[in-house]
Amino acid sequence: MRLNLMFPMRAVKHYDRWIGDGDLAEVGRLVEEAGFDAVSMSEHPIPDDAWLGNGGHHAFDPFVSLSFLAAATTRLRVMTYVAVAGYRSPYLLAKSAASLDRLSGGRLTLGVAAGYLKTEFAALGADFAQRGRLLDAAIPAMRAVWTGRSVDRDDPTFPLHGHTSLPGPAQAGGPPIWIGGNSNAARRRAVTLADGWMPMGQSVAVAKITKTPPMEDVAALAEAVRGVQDRRAEAGAAPLDVSFVPYEAELLPDVDAFTRAVAASYRAYEDAGVTWITIEPTSRSLAAFREDIERIGTALAALVR
């Protein structure tokens, strides 16, 4: 397994106080030096106040912030975790992704999902009711752009004829696409359209907010991953990468308890088919973040390789 570090979303609201005299470039260097394999950013461009007051969070623009992180590092992959495809035209999303992939030297993983925050769709003038259909259509639209050739598509949702977008991505065929979500539709997309899957461990209560089914323990995770990978094999496709935030994250901010628990559960996650562990520290300052990721990296980096 490999390690992905999610930038602490709770830090964004109080970023100036959190970062102090540092900057996001320093964050990237610290993550790379601590032994992580990737760094990721979420997306919420204009969340509503009620959601924010009920546990929601702010976020940087993922492509701007990840570009900053990529420029400060050399081997660290950068991930959107996740970009909501329906918030923008797939042709704009394809341009942002290709630009970041090219400028980072082929280090982007594009995590996408249908999204769930209806009020944010409304604020952006985006179509909440059709978000799943739009995501299904967006993925092949982006891949057509990433060929670097003139696009000629009669697709009913995103038709395009005689348009070209250069420069293309550094990775042949474009950055890997990972699908977020637990729903049957998300699993289907991962199997038929993507390169990876990002299921979410969550309770029934949280599932009511995210509008995606619960996944309450490692046994449920293992069953879901097995079903998705079996369908990939039946289709003659390569196995999917699977990224997961461990259930032990509930132990944070106690970093030592968290790392001990993850270390103890490592084999269970590996047996469940997880290929990436995603960790979001709860560090309340850059200084605390530095200490936290050094301890997490020291405890887990050797274990997951």
Side-chain angles (χ1 to χ4, degrees), residues 50 61 73 76 104 110 136 151 160 190 200 210 230-231 233 238 287 293 300:
D61 177 281
T73 56
L76 201 66
S104 67
L110 183 64
D136 286 339
V151 177
L160 193 65
M200 298 183 293
T210 62
D230 285 349
R231 290 165 63 188
I293 65 170
L300 298 183

Side-chain angles (χ1 to χ4, degrees), residues 34-298:
F36 286 82
D37 302 288
V39 65
S40 55
M41 286 283 182
S42 182
E43 175 171 57
H44 276 294
I46 188 78
D48 72 90
D49 294 342
W51 180 78
L52 290 169
N54 194 35
H57 62 82
H58 293 281
F60 284 113
D61 177 281
F63 294 100
V64 173
S65 54
L66 290 173
S67 294
F68 208 90
L69 290 161
T73 56
T74 58
R75 63 163 186 83
L76 201 66
R77 291 196 67 82
V78 290
M79 298 186 186
T80 55
Y81 209 109
V82 292
V84 179
Y87 285 172
R88 56 179 75 73
S89 159
Y91 299 121
L92 282 175
L93 182 55
K95 169 58 77 172
S96 295
S99 297
L100 177 51
D101 193 62
R102 173 62 61 180
L103 294 174
S104 67
R107 288 188 280 149
L108 173 64
T109 297
L110 183 64
V112 293
Y116 66 90
L117 195 54
K118 187 175 183 178
T119 53
E120 196 163 49
F121 274 82
L124 295 167
D127 192 338
F128 180 79
Q130 297 296 318
R131 66 196 186 281
R133 182 181 64 83
L134 293 174
L135 175 53
D136 286 339
I139 293 173
M142 289 190 291
R143 288 195 161 131
V145 170
W146 291 336
T147 65
R149 300 187 294 271
S150 180
V151 177
D152 186 22
R153 305 183 71 243
D154 288 321
D155 178 79
T157 307
F158 299 116
L160 193 65
H161 300 278
H163 291 258
T164 305
S165 179
L166 293 174
Q171 297 177 86
I177 294 174
W178 292 4
I179 302 295
N182 297 354
S183 69
N184 289 333
R187 300 178 201 206
R188 172 188 53 78
R189 290 183 190 107
V191 169
T192 62
L193 296 172
D195 309 289
W197 185 35
M198 297 179 288
M200 298 183 293
Q202 58 183 9
S203 66
V204 172
V206 173
K208 291 179 180 178
I209 298 172
T210 62
K211 305 296 192 297
T212 195
M215 190 175 289
E216 298 191 277
D217 53 36
V218 177
L221 169 66
E223 182 180 2
V225 172
R226 185 167 54 252
V228 166
Q229 298 290 29
D230 285 349
R231 290 165 63 188
R232 287 284 287 189
E234 290 169 3
L240 293 165
D241 268 306
V242 177
S243 179
F244 193 72
V245 177
Y247 293 102
E248 291 78 8
E250 65 184 13
L251 295 172
L252 292 168
D254 189 331
V255 171
D256 292 333
F258 167 75
T259 53
R260 285 195 301 269
V262 172
S265 301
Y266 165 74
R267 293 299 175 194
Y269 286 114
E270 186 176 53
D271 291 344
V274 173
T275 61
W276 285 78
I277 288 286
T278 292
I279 296 167
E280 182 185 352
T282 57
S283 319
R284 293 184 175 273
S285 67
L286 179 60
F289 177 81
R290 180 185 296 108
E291 294 179 4
D292 289 347
I293 65 170
E294 285 178 356
R295 288 156 67 192
I296 293 169
T298 299

